[in-house]
């Protein structure tokens, strides 16, 4: 196991010799419970490690509503050098900002589902209004030397709103979901207003190079932006960096978790129930972007085309915690997936065999790691995904002596890195079924070779590497110039950079950031 505190090293100081704090902003905040239980998710663990060494604030929405949010004080909880500061929102704010514009406009359009976008001027104005509210609350917490790191699509306008509050600090943004090509992105309400808001950042990060290229193309077409060296762009009177920072996991820590999870009671029960049969696993939040209906159809096509699979009673386990049930599109997909599961089991099942086991509740990180390790095939087939860390977790969990096979959608950001997986078009049901058959029957030698290639990718780009690159970019320090205090454009950097991070995501932790 890595000592997290040793991974983080401030590399830049202010003129007075002090190192600035890190301020993180995200829609939801993993405020520690009274029991002191640590954050379970990889991003939460990584950012808390950075905050713990450097000191700072994690700011966001409390997840609670109040009749009057503006007059209410921030709820704060300090644990060591970290202050968790959260604000309540009104019911109207939540409906317009969160359920409305964020999840019924930005989310579907960024995932290329224009047909599911619900355009509402009221929700659009609510989205910008809430970000102005967040900026007023956050600006009070910012010291001159702090570096600010804002996460995901809920808070795109936050930097611009902070600038209006007089905040001159270095501010970075990371977009956890896909960014579409200009022809699709142009469907966003207030499209140019959103693009202009991005220009208030010093660094805008994306999961993949195609996403970064799409965003750059949007700026060029809409604002006449001028690309510059070093990934920089000039637009709306500012120069800022646009770069790909593929998020990852700590593969060694996750591998250890998977080995230890063999003793987990749930894992033991599942292993016993399989009675030696092969298992295929899928793990996704219940969302139309995850391609769960297509996946179930492909598994059915596999059983149809492979009588030997039915005879061997190959079993698929689909773990799908519900999410955003208040949003009509999500309530509908819940019903449709449940119907699909019932039809498949009714067609192929027997009195002593349920081909598809469907679970609608979240499981612990330990249980998930152990279940990945049991599986012969990991089926990760989203229709579109920013990254998808389930794919990386599945790889890291595998036993080297007998690894399973990853079947991965070509439309997941992870496919840009995990080229040794069996890549599929999830819309092509027959091809996905054929890939499942190939994965189940793959010889040990080929499985080991592919797994070795995938693990090398994970080790070369761990969560530690991701965090270090992002924070160095935000502070304006090149990776090979850790001692420099100048931004490439000549701006003085007012704070240090930290390197490092640790373990993994789980479905329950910061679900809005999991891809």
């Amino acid at each position: 196991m890595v000592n997290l505190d040793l991974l983080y090293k401030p590399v830049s100081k202010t003129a007075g010799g002090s190192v600035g704090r890190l301020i993180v902003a995200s829609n939801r905040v993993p405020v520690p419970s009274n029991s002191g239980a640590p954050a379970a998710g990889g991003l939460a663990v990584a950012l808390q490690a950075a905050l713990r060494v450097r000191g700072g604030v994690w700011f966001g929405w409390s997840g609670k509503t109040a009749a009057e949010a503006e007059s209410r004080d921030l709820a704060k909880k300090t644990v060591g050098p970290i202050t968790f500061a959260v604000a309540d929102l009104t019911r109207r704010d939540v409906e317009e900002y969160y359920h409305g514009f964020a999840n019924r406009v930005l989310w579907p359009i960024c995932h290329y589902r224009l047909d599911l976008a619900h355009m509402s001027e009221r929700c659009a104005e609510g989205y910008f209004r809430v970000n102005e509210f967040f900026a007023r609350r956050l600006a009070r917490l910012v010291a001159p030397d702090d570096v600010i790191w804002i996460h995901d699509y809920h808070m795109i306008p936050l930097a611009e709103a902070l600038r209006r509050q007089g905040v001159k600090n270095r501010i970075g943004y990371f977009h956890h979901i896909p960014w579409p090509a200009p022809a699709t992105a142009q469907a966003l309400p207030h499209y140019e207003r959103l693009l202009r808001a991005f220009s208030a950042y010093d660094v805008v990060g994306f999961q993949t190079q195609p996403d970064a290229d799409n965003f750059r193309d949007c700026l060029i077409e809409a604002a006449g932006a001028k690309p510059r060296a070093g990934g920089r762009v000039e637009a709306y009177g500012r120069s800022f960096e646009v770069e790909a920072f593929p998020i990852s996991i700590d593969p060694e820590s996750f591998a250890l978790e998977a080995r230890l999870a063999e003793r987990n009671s749930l894992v033991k029960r599942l292993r016993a129930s399989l009675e030696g049969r092969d298992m295929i696993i899928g793990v996704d939040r219940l969302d139309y972007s995850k391609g769960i209906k297509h996946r179930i159809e492909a598994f059915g096509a596999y059983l149809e085309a492979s009588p030997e699979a039915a005879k061997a009673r190959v079993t698929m386990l689909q773990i799908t915690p519900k999410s955003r049930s208040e949003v009509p599109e999500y309530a509908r997909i819940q019903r449709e997936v449940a119907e699909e599961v019932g039809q498949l089991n009714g067609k192929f099942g027997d009195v002593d065999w349920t081909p598809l086991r469907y679970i609608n509740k979240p499981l612990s990180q330990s249980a998930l790691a152990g279940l990945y390790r049991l599986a012969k095939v990991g089926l990760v087939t989203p229709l579109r995904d920013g990254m998808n860390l389930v794919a990386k977790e599945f790889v890291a969990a595998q036993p080297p002596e007998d690894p399973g096979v990853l079947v991965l959608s070509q439309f997941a950001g992870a496919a840009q890195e995990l080229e040794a997986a069996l890549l599929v078009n999830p819309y092509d049901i027959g091809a996905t079924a054929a890939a499942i058959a190939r994965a189940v029957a793959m010889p040990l030698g080929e499985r080991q070779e592919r797994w070795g290639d995938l693990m090398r990718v994970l080790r070369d780009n761990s969560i530690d590497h991701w965090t270090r690159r992002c924070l160095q970019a935000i502070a304006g320090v090149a990776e090979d110039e850790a001692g420099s205090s100048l931004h490439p454009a000549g701006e003085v950097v007012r704070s240090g950079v930290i390197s490092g991070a640790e373990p993994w995501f789980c479905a329950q932790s910061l679900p809005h950031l999991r891809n």
Side-chain angles (χ1 to χ4, degrees):
M1 294 288 289
V2 186
N3 184 327
L4 288 180
D5 292 342
L6 296 179
L7 283 173
Y8 290 89
K9 177 185 178 184
V11 298
S12 177
K13 297 184 179 181
T14 66
S18 63
V19 177
R21 303 177 305 166
L22 173 64
I23 294 184
V24 173
S26 59
N27 178 60
R28 296 296 295 273
V29 178
V31 180
S33 65
N34 292 330
S35 67
L43 180 65
V45 172
L47 295 181
Q48 285 195 34
L51 287 162
R52 184 172 61 248
V53 172
R54 181 168 179 169
V57 176
W58 197 328
F59 170 87
W61 175 36
S62 66
K64 300 176 182 178
T65 59
E68 177 50 62
E70 188 74 46
S71 62
R72 291 174 66 92
D73 292 333
L74 287 175
K76 298 179 182 178
K77 182 170 186 175
T78 299
V79 180
I82 308 172
T83 297
F84 298 88
V86 293
D88 295 344
L89 294 176
T90 66
R91 291 187 182 277
R92 176 191 172 199
D93 289 338
V94 174
E95 182 61 31
E96 295 175 358
Y97 150 78
Y98 182 70
H99 294 311
F101 196 79
N103 288 326
R104 300 190 73 186
V105 177
L106 285 170
W107 179 272
I109 292 178
C110 285
H111 286 86
Y112 291 81
R113 292 301 305 270
L114 277 69
D115 58 311
L116 296 179
H118 179 74
M119 309 298 187
S120 164
E121 184 62 24
R122 177 177 59 86
C123 290
E125 289 304 323
Y127 174 77
F128 287 99
R129 182 186 69 248
V130 168
N131 273 279
E132 291 284 352
F133 165 74
F134 282 151
R136 290 192 296 274
R137 311 312 292 271
L138 179 56
R140 302 170 193 170
L141 307 178
V142 177
D145 299 330
D146 294 339
V147 162
I148 303 169
W149 194 6
I150 296 169
H151 286 267
D152 225 2
Y153 61 102
H154 310 84
M155 292 182 162
I156 291 171
L158 184 54
E160 185 178 49
L162 285 169
R163 301 298 187 202
R164 282 194 284 271
Q165 295 293 318
V167 174
K168 299 179 180 179
N169 304 55
R170 298 277 301 177
I171 308 178
Y173 170 85
F174 188 76
H175 194 72
H176 289 259
I177 65 176
W179 184 266
T184 299
Q186 288 167 6
L188 286 166
H190 296 273
Y191 174 57
E192 292 200 34
R193 185 178 178 183
L194 288 167
L195 290 181
R196 182 180 291 275
F198 274 113
S199 72
Y201 291 96
D202 295 288
V203 178
V204 177
F206 294 91
Q207 295 278 21
T208 68
Q209 195 58 52
D211 288 338
D213 291 343
N214 284 342
F215 178 73
R216 197 177 287 110
D217 289 343
C218 288
L219 290 174
I220 292 170
E221 291 189 17
K226 298 178 181 179
R228 300 302 187 198
R232 300 187 68 76
V233 172
E234 288 183 7
Y236 301 107
R238 293 195 81 245
S239 173
F240 55 101
E241 183 178 351
V242 176
E243 189 57 83
F245 302 94
I247 199 169
S248 194
I249 64 172
D250 181 329
E252 305 304 338
S253 292
F254 200 87
L256 175 60
E257 181 81 3
R259 291 195 298 273
L260 295 175
E262 292 181 347
R263 301 194 295 267
N264 182 285
S265 60
L266 184 147
V267 175
K268 287 182 177 179
R269 282 164 40 213
L270 178 63
R271 182 188 298 112
S273 72
L274 289 172
E275 298 178 333
R277 297 189 291 267
D278 289 333
M279 184 181 77
I280 299 167
I281 192 168
V283 177
D284 309 85
R285 182 173 54 80
L286 187 52
D287 190 285
Y288 51 76
S289 69
K290 301 301 182 181
I292 299 170
K293 287 177 60 182
H294 297 71
R295 184 181 312 161
I296 292 170
E297 190 177 347
F299 178 61
Y302 159 67
L303 294 178
E304 189 98 64
S306 307
E308 65 277 8
K311 186 176 180 180
R313 301 198 166 181
V314 175
T315 298
M316 178 175 169
L317 173 63
Q318 179 64 47
I319 301 169
T320 307
K322 294 180 181 179
S323 70
R324 302 174 186 165
S325 299
E326 305 88 347
V327 178
E329 291 80 10
Y330 288 80
R332 183 166 62 248
I333 195 69
Q334 288 175 17
R335 294 191 300 271
E336 291 175 352
V337 169
E339 290 171 2
E340 199 82 26
V341 171
Q343 290 172 7
L344 185 145
N345 284 331
K347 180 177 182 179
F348 296 103
D350 209 334
V351 292
D352 57 351
W353 176 48
T354 303
L356 175 55
R357 304 184 188 186
Y358 180 57
I359 298 176
N360 259 155
K361 61 183 179 182
L363 301 181
S364 70
Q365 184 63 52
S366 174
L368 284 175
L371 297 179
Y372 291 143
R373 194 173 179 87
L374 274 182
K376 185 74 173 287
V377 178
L379 203 49
V380 184
T381 54
L383 304 180
R384 186 74 60 169
D385 222 334
M387 178 53 63
N388 197 297
L389 292 179
V390 168
K392 297 186 175 186
E393 292 170 345
F394 175 81
V395 171
Q398 296 309 299
E401 68 279 3
D402 188 22
V405 179
L406 175 63
V407 177
L408 178 63
S409 166
Q410 67 191 57
F411 301 121
Q416 298 288 318
E417 298 176 273
L418 304 181
E419 297 177 350
L422 294 183
L423 299 181
V424 298
N425 173 0
Y427 292 96
D428 189 333
I429 303 302
T432 304
I436 295 172
R438 181 182 174 189
V440 171
M442 187 176 289
L444 176 61
E446 183 180 354
R447 285 190 279 126
Q448 289 176 323
E449 182 178 357
R450 287 176 179 272
W451 177 82
D453 291 343
L454 294 171
M455 277 299 286
R456 276 189 287 275
V457 171
L458 298 187
R459 287 169 177 144
D460 288 344
N461 180 37
S462 67
I463 187 72
D464 164 39
H465 182 249
W466 177 79
T467 309
R468 180 175 62 249
R469 284 190 64 218
C470 288
L471 289 172
Q472 286 178 337
I474 295 168
V477 181
E479 289 193 59
D480 57 353
E481 297 177 351
S484 172
S485 63
L486 290 180
H487 183 274
E491 298 169 87
V492 176
V493 173
R494 290 277 184 203
S495 62
V497 177
I498 27 194
S499 66
E502 236 231 313
W504 50 83
F505 272 104
C506 80
Q508 305 95 303
S509 178
L510 292 181
H512 63 288
L513 296 181
R514 186 181 175 85
N515 295 293

